[in-house]
Amino acid sequence: MSVKWYLYFFLLLSIAAIALLKWQHFSKAERLIGRLMMLTLLVEPTAYFASQRWHNNMPIYNIFSPIELFLVSLYFNYAVTYLRRRNLGIIIGGAGIVLSILNTIFLQPIDTINSNFLLFESTTIIIYCLLALHQILLDEEHLPYRYAHFWITLCFLLFWSATFTGWGFYALLLPTDKSIISLFDKILTTANFIFYLGIGTVLMLLLKHKLIPTSCA
């Protein structure tokens, strides 16, 4: 197990601990982010164990991806008025689970990379982020950077933009090329560290009342 993996696990553990121990301090929307962090904490060690034991952790991530999209969809459904009024986040999140199952059955088996679904997930979350930023920037009562929702959205936008780019190159280029695999791994690793550091920082600032919680009204 590499130092990089230990640092990554410690980061996830810290964020999950903050979310769990300070649960009552967060809004309904931010608790969904906390649930996502706790689920990720369970998934990553399991995936690592599977990669060492069976040399294939794709089934773990293929099950996790649609659940991840559903939780993120619920978050934006609560946080973005346009989505909340029509329950579009719930509908899209549910549709994502169905699409993931269909993709696994007909296109990409569970023991392979579900790149089709990941591109769909990336696109969907980026659209959520753009809708959220549009709503935040139209608010004249507070500056955008005062909202926790602004920073959470920014974390998602940067992470999934990098992920979308990475999966796009992976699909276009030769996936068996070791240099491509190495570059792809570095992109995803860097994006993951930045994303979770960002989320952890937002949660800490919320606890110190430095940011306005995400409204679910």
Side-chain angles (χ1 to χ4, degrees), residues 18-213:
I18 292 170
L20 185 61
L21 295 175
K22 301 296 182 179
W23 191 257
Q24 70 276 10
H25 295 281
F26 299 124
S27 72
K28 190 174 183 179
E30 281 133 12
R31 288 177 184 177
L32 286 165
I33 300 299
R35 288 188 178 97
L36 178 60
M37 296 300 104
M38 286 183 271
L39 179 60
T40 305
L41 179 62
L42 293 175
V43 167
E44 292 294 357
T46 304
Y48 181 83
F49 174 79
S51 69
Q52 297 300 304
R53 180 67 176 81
W54 297 290
H55 306 288
N56 189 343
N57 56 15
M58 287 301 103
I60 307 297
Y61 287 121
N62 288 346
I63 293 171
F64 171 64
S65 293
I67 299 174
E68 176 185 44
L69 176 59
F70 187 74
L71 289 174
V72 174
S73 295
L74 285 182
Y75 169 77
F76 281 104
N77 190 77
Y78 289 131
V80 179
T81 303
Y82 177 81
L83 297 174
R84 184 171 63 246
R85 287 175 178 171
R86 299 162 179 80
N87 282 325
L88 287 177
I90 297 173
I91 294 170
I92 294 170
I97 293 175
V98 174
L99 289 173
S100 176
I101 293 171
L102 293 175
N103 182 62
T104 299
I105 294 173
F106 296 108
L107 297 174
Q108 296 175 318
I110 197 167
D111 58 348
T112 61
I113 296 176
N114 60 339
S115 56
N116 293 335
F117 181 79
L118 289 170
L119 287 173
F120 168 77
E121 183 179 11
S122 302
T123 304
T124 301
I125 295 177
I126 288 170
I127 292 172
Y128 287 154
C129 291
L130 295 177
L131 288 172
L133 289 175
H134 179 262
Q135 175 178 293
I136 293 168
L137 293 174
L138 287 179
D139 191 315
E140 298 179 356
E141 187 175 348
H142 300 285
L143 294 172
Y145 63 82
R146 293 286 295 124
Y147 290 102
H149 180 42
F150 171 78
W151 294 109
I152 291 173
T153 298
L154 198 60
C155 287
F156 274 117
L157 182 61
L158 293 174
F159 173 76
W160 284 103
S161 294
T163 302
F164 182 88
T165 303
W167 284 115
F169 277 116
Y170 186 88
L172 289 173
L173 300 174
L174 189 61
T176 55
D177 189 327
K178 290 184 178 181
S179 62
I180 302 270
I181 295 173
S182 176
L183 177 61
F184 181 67
D185 180 65
K186 289 177 181 177
I187 291 174
L188 289 187
T189 299
T190 302
N192 271 284
F193 271 103
I194 293 174
F195 174 73
Y196 291 114
L197 278 171
I199 293 296
T201 301
V202 171
L203 295 182
M204 288 299 298
L205 290 174
L206 274 169
L207 292 178
K208 294 181 179 181
H209 307 290
K210 299 293 186 180
L211 294 174
I212 301 169

